[in-house]
């Protein structure tokens, strides 16, 4: 099995001392391969890029996928994308308008289905508005809880209509003291990455994808 994790900076692993939630899952997979003397064999690739939006991912998806395909193995796609699309720009609105975002998610699913029916979207996590009214790195842009929630719901609804797996992180984080799981109001800290990895790994195991 080849597992491809596509996404943004949270997928890439910012800012976790152990490399992020995908790296933690890859470590689990690699250990199992070694422990079974390669009788169990899975490849896990982290293809997250900081700052990526759905439009960026659509542009690189086919090329990135084709470089890692193994004709002898099934492919699992794990998408964790959308929080940068929800970003709000002063006097302009969301970076990716809602109608465009819906089309982009649907197009990602269509592209992925050309290679596999094993497709998973990992939902967005809530943000701490108090730290992100104006981001420290771009003064005219911000992340708002209401928009993150809205974009997360869109992903969930499209996954349901397209019969694609969806892992709901948003509600689970919101029901906890989630602000303590964020390092800068947007990215998870090490404990946040740990909890995401545990949730996604459990799902992958239940579906026998790992």
């Amino acid at each position: 099995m080849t597992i491809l994790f596509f996404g943004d900076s949270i997928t890439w692993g910012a800012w976790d001392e152990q490399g992020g939630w995908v790296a933690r899952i890859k470590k689990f997979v690699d250990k199992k391969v070694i422990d079974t003397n390669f009788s169990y064999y899975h490849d896990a690739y982290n293809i997250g890029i900081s700052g990526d939006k759905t439009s960026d991912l659509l542009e690189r998806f086919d090329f990135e996928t084709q470089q890692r395909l193994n004709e002898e193995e099934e492919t699992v796609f794990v998408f964790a994308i959308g929080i940068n699309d929800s970003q709000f720009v002063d006097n302009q609105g969301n970076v990716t308008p809602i109608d465009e975002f819906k089309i982009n998610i649907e197009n990602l699913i269509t592209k992925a289905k050309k290679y596999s029916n094993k497709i998973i979207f990992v939902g967005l996590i809530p943000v701490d508005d108090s730290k992100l009214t104006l981001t420290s790195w771009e003064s005219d842009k911000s992340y708002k809880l209401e928009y993150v929630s809205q974009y997360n719901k869109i992903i969930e609804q499209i996954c349901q209509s397209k019969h694609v797996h969806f892992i709901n992180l948003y509600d689970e984080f919101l029901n906890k003291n989630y602000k303590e799981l964020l390092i800068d109001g947007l990215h998870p800290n090490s404990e946040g990455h740990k909890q995401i990895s545990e949730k996604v790994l459990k799902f992958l195991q239940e579906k026998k994808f790992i």
Side-chain angles (χ1 to χ4, degrees), residues 9 32 52 96 150 190 198:
S9 58
K32 192 170 180 181
D52 256 18
T96 306
Q150 188 175 13
S190 287
E198 290 172 350

Side-chain angles (χ1 to χ4, degrees), residues 10 14-16 83 124-132 137 143-145 148 169-170 173-174 176-196:
I10 297 176
W15 300 102
D16 178 19
I83 203 161
L124 310 182
I125 60 173
V127 299
D128 183 353
D129 292 88
S130 66
K131 293 183 178 180
L132 298 167
W137 52 92
Y143 292 87
K144 300 178 185 294
L145 191 64
V148 174
L169 295 179
Y170 189 91
F173 266 59
L174 206 63
K176 301 174 181 177
N177 192 359
Y178 75 90
K179 294 179 181 181
E180 293 184 357
L181 299 174
L182 304 174
I183 196 166
D184 55 6
L186 174 65
H187 300 93
N189 56 25
S190 287
E191 179 59 28
H193 276 286
K194 177 176 178 288
Q195 293 195 24
I196 295 172

Side-chain angles (χ1 to χ4, degrees), residues 27-38 40 210:
K27 187 181 294 185
F28 172 89
V29 170
D30 290 348
K31 184 178 186 304
K32 192 170 180 181
V33 170
I34 294 167
D35 288 348
T36 61
N37 196 28
F38 295 88
Y40 166 96
I210 280 185

